[in-house]
């Protein structure tokens, strides 16, 4: 009965994608071919000129920071829409606009890619991916594209990586990364590094063993593949114990690559985030379970794992560590060290040190939201001590905070080197409960739900029904204290953060549909604008002909929409707005012309 109920529920939340009979030659509808395209090189990616937005987070360090300063705290209140473009699609739009020398690329749900004039919003071309007609996925979304040379790289929900001609959108070659028939699909934006395109699949909830794959940008051939769950004779395999009901749990242990990583071009080291364990219940896969719920460093040439920080061992909460840590300098004991910082889904903010060989050392961790599963962190290693009452186990109903969506989910944090602050889109006060079970009727990696819990029995609730949820927090990197917090009230914050040299912090993602500008120093709200739908994509900034623009794509859906409706139904105060319109639209703002 449980399996049948689970399949019915999955049928209601999974999205079935229909593809027509299009061939590789007619997947792109060209409105106007791009005649003068500026190829993207490694040098341009390293430099991260603020006139462009060439990478998912603006630079390889993952800062979500723009060096443009035309828009300031004094004039941001004058922002007005420069243009708006409807994508014509529903569901969750989560991709940042990628901008190269006046050309904007936006990926959407259903794996469309749009190329537009970044100044006027006029369409150059649209690519519509040929997903299999019977493909069904849990998260029908795309989190961005990668640029290299004169190509645009877009991942598909069918597990493919597609190289498109940047001028026309025509597909030039394709790589098969994950097998969609066993539940592997790609939501992550690819990342271009040294002539390789890096991306990994989702699918941990279906018993898929995670990995990161490097593809040659010219040939679409595999350069290397590294699994996030080590196999026999690989370092870390000993952390998957053969005891328990699943002695070969490593074969389907999860560790999905949900999001793009970061890169240190000087040291030539990759930093990637690794997702949750599978099934969710850690007692079914004893051991620490490396490299689940970890940040890892890697050699970009070979894919070798060089170092790691596991934020919580034997992950049992679905607290995926999917966002890679930011690369920035940190003061430690009176010295400046090359550091890493990461606000994790488990509700803790971590200060780490990275060394040139790829090692990662724990410095400090502090909670930014309430966590009842951790009693403490070891002061030398950061390893948590657990409260058994809040650790999900087989056959037991367990409550824990923060919820499985975490103190912060996929939305990006931001770092401003001028203020020395990191800005976190946080969700406080959300908890959940569910009952774990041993699924003996379903084969892992079969394309069927395999998390060891029934979504129909998941209960999401507020720890204090009278208190709010969504927040924007500003932490001083070096004093390691909160400088200010903005409370959004009865809404989750599903918006990534952008900060600029003009002293501004931009954030959306709340169910009032507002895009807001905050003073980066004080947290004062300086400007807000109601979008057509809630924006759960990252805001970005770029410049064309000497004019600074702010771009964000609105489009409600996926987890943000589901959690909002659940919490609205459960709200005892009647203050929660559960009616948020959907529909994708790219919004671009600028100051009025003089």
């Amino acid at each position: 009965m449980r399996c049948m109920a689970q399949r019915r529920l999955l049928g209601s939340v999974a999205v079935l994608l229909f593809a027509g009979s299009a061939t590789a030659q007619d997947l792109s509808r060209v409105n106007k071919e791009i005649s003068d395209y500026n190829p993207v090189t490694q040098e341009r990616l390293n430099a991260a000129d603020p006139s462009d937005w060439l990478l998912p987070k603006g630079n390889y360090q993952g800062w979500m920071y723009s060096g443009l300063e035309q828009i300031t705290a004094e004039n941001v209140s004058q922002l007005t829409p420069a243009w708006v473009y409807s994508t014509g699609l529903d569901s969750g739009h989560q991709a940042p606009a990628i901008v190269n020398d006046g050309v904007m690329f936006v990926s959407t749900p259903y794996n469309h890619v749009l190329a537009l004039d970044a100044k006027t919003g006029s369409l150059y071309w649209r690519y519509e991916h040929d997903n299999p007609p019977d493909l069904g996925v849990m998260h029908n979304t795309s989190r961005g594209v990668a640029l290299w040379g004169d190509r645009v790289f877009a991942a598909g929900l069918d597990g493919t990586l597609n190289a498109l001609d940047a001028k026309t959108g025509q597909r030039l070659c394709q790589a098969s990364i994950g097998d969609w028939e066993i539940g592997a699909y790609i939501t992550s934006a690819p990342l271009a590094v040294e002539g390789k395109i890096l991306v990994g699949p989702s699918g941990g909830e279906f018993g898929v063993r995670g990995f990161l794959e490097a593809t040659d940008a010219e040939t679409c051939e595999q350069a290397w593949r590294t699994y996030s769950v080590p196999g026999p004779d690989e370092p870390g395999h000993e952390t998957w114990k053969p005891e328990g009901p699943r002695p070969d749990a490593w074969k389907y242990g999860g560790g999905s690559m949900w999001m793009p990583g970061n890169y240190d071009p000087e040291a030539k080291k990759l930093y990637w985030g690794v997702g949750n364990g599978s099934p969710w219940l850690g007692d079914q896969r004893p051991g620490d379970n490396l490299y689940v719920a970890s940040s890892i460093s890697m050699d970009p040439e070979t894919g070798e794992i060089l170092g790691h920080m596991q934020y919580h061992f034997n992950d049992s909460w679905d607290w995926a560590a999917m966002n890679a840590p930011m690369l920035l300098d940190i003061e430690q004991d009176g010295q400046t060290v090359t550091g890493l910082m990461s606000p994790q889904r488990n509700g803790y903010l971590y200060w780490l040190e990275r060394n040139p060989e790829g090692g990662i050392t724990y410095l400090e961790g502090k909670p930014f939201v309430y966590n009842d599963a951790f009693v403490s962190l070891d002061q030398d290693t950061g390893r948590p001590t657990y409260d058994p009452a809040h650790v999900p186990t087989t056959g037991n109903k367990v409550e824990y905070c923060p919820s499985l969506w975490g103190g912060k989910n996929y939305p990006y944090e931001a770092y401003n080197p001028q203020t020395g602050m990191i800005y976190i889109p946080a969700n406080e006060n959300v908890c959940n409960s569910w009952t774990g079970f041993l699924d003996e009727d379903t084969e892992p990696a079969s394309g069927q739900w395999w998390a060891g819990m029934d979504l129909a029995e998941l209960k999401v609730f507020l720890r204090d029904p009278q208190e709010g949820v969504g927040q924007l927090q500003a932490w001083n990197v070096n004093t390691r204290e909160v400088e200010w917090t903005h409370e959004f009230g009865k809404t989750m914050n599903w918006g990534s953060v952008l900060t600029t040299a003009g002293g501004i912090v931009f954030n959306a993602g709340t169910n009032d549909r507002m895009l807001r500008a905050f003073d980066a120093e004080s947290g004062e709200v300086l400007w807000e604008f109601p979008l057509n739908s809630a924006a759960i994509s990252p805001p970005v900034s770029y410049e064309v002909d000497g004019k600074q623009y702010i771009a964000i794509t609105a489009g409600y859906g996926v987890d943000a929409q589901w959690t909002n409706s659940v919490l609205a139904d459960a709200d005892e105060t009647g203050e929660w707005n559960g009616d948020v319109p959907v529909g994708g639209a790219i919004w671009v703002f600028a100051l009025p012309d003089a």
Side-chain angles (χ1 to χ4, degrees), residues 217 272 358 533 538 580 583:
W272 226 269
S533 179
V580 182

Side-chain angles (χ1 to χ4, degrees), residues 216-432:
D216 185 278
E218 294 301 319
T219 65
C220 290
E221 295 179 354
Q222 183 188 102
W224 52 257
R225 173 183 289 188
T226 299
Y227 283 93
S228 57
V229 175
D233 301 323
E234 293 180 326
H237 180 70
E238 71 281 358
T239 66
W240 292 78
K241 306 298 184 184
E243 297 84 8
R246 305 188 186 281
D248 55 353
W250 66 273
K251 294 180 180 179
Y252 36 79
S256 297
M257 304 298 191
W258 287 98
M259 307 293 290
N262 297 326
Y263 179 53
D264 183 342
E266 183 176 345
K268 295 192 180 301
K269 299 294 182 294
L270 295 170
Y271 294 87
W272 226 269
V274 182
N276 54 280
S278 177
W280 288 0
L281 298 140
D283 64 348
Q284 295 183 19
R285 40 178 174 79
D288 282 4
N289 298 158
L290 290 177
Y291 294 95
V292 162
S294 301
S295 292
I296 56 176
S297 61
M298 307 175 72
D299 184 326
E301 286 298 316
T302 65
E304 179 187 0
I305 296 176
L306 304 171
H308 74 278
M309 170 64 196
Q310 187 174 53
Y311 300 102
H312 45 275
F313 61 93
N314 191 237
D315 172 56
S316 297
W317 302 271
D318 188 32
W319 287 338
M322 66 269 210
N323 273 341
M326 289 180 165
L327 283 64
L328 69 165
D329 290 341
I330 296 172
E331 290 184 8
Q332 177 71 15
D333 299 329
Q335 303 293 321
T336 299
V337 300
T338 54
L340 301 167
M341 281 193 70
S342 182
Q344 279 294 312
R345 197 152 152 176
N346 63 27
Y348 276 71
L349 175 58
Y350 291 85
W351 286 260
L352 311 169
E353 183 177 1
R354 69 187 195 274
N355 66 45
E357 290 73 39
I360 301 175
T361 303
Y362 171 79
L363 299 177
E364 189 172 0
K366 287 188 171 184
F368 64 92
V369 302
Y370 175 77
N371 177 319
D372 61 9
F374 290 6
V375 176
S376 62
L377 299 184
D378 184 278
Q379 64 179 0
D380 295 322
T381 65
R383 184 181 178 90
T385 298
Y386 298 151
D387 180 347
H390 299 292
V391 180
T393 53
T394 304
N396 297 308
K397 183 176 182 179
V398 175
E399 294 183 359
Y400 60 88
C401 311
S403 73
L404 63 90
W405 289 277
K408 189 195 77 67
N409 205 270
Y410 65 81
Y412 299 138
E413 63 275 13
Y415 169 65
N416 191 317
Q418 295 179 328
T419 66
M421 296 184 201
I422 183 172
Y423 304 93
I424 303 173
N427 289 300
E428 177 67 281
N429 198 33
V430 183
C431 309
N432 62 217

Side-chain angles (χ1 to χ4, degrees), residues 40 42 72 77 150 228 237 289-290 477 490 503-504 509 574:
V40 174
Q42 188 63 48
T72 68
S77 62
D150 56 2
S228 57
H237 180 70
N289 298 158
L290 290 177
V477 167
K490 293 295 184 71
I504 308 295

